[in-house]
Amino acid sequence: MANLILILCEKQMTKAGQTSTGTQTTVGRTLAVNPYVIPYGTEVWLYLEDGTFAGDFIAEDTGSNMLANPNVIDIYMGQDSYNNCILWGAQNVEVYIRATAESETAQ
């Protein structure tokens, strides 16, 4: 694990559909990022401040909030998950870069 980054994770992305990279939003996979900070296709592990593993995600979407605030990421929680998003709130997470799209294709 490398490239530890502390990022504010809002976990309030609830709209289903096609991502910026052409994939379908998928619970437990889709992560919206600023692609200039975390490139599309990058696999990341997220850990909460208390060390709890929050999941393994792929950077495959973006949004105006991520582009305006490069230290913000959003986790797709699924349609009709607004109440869960409110309960989650905004959390600080540690982001570990597991693999980038470039490193996967080079192997």
Side-chain angles (χ1 to χ4, degrees):
M1 292 187 271
N3 299 337
L4 173 64
I5 308 167
L6 188 60
I7 291 186
L8 178 66
C9 176
E10 292 186 320
K11 202 168 185 180
Q12 293 183 12
M13 188 169 61
T14 61
K15 189 175 181 181
Q18 189 171 21
T19 68
S20 300
T21 59
T23 63
Q24 287 299 117
T25 51
T26 303
V27 174
R29 183 190 76 203
T30 301
L31 183 68
V33 300
N34 181 321
Y36 300 106
V37 177
I38 300 175
Y40 289 139
T42 300
E43 293 181 43
V44 300
W45 289 331
L46 302 181
Y47 289 86
L48 303 180
E49 286 184 298
D50 67 1
T52 302
F53 181 65
D56 184 5
F57 299 90
I58 299 173
E60 56 187 15
D61 201 13
T62 194
S64 59
N65 194 22
M66 280 62 64
L67 295 174
N69 302 290
N71 289 338
V72 172
I73 58 176
D74 278 340
I75 298 169
Y76 177 65
M77 294 185 69
Q79 288 184 282
D80 303 320
S81 62
Y82 181 75
N83 288 335
N84 289 336
C85 292
I86 295 302
L87 291 174
W88 172 274
Q91 305 231 2
N92 287 317
V93 295
E94 291 180 350
V95 178
Y96 289 86
I97 304 301
R98 185 186 172 293
T100 62
E102 293 81 24
S103 68
E104 291 291 316
T105 56
Q107 294 178 0

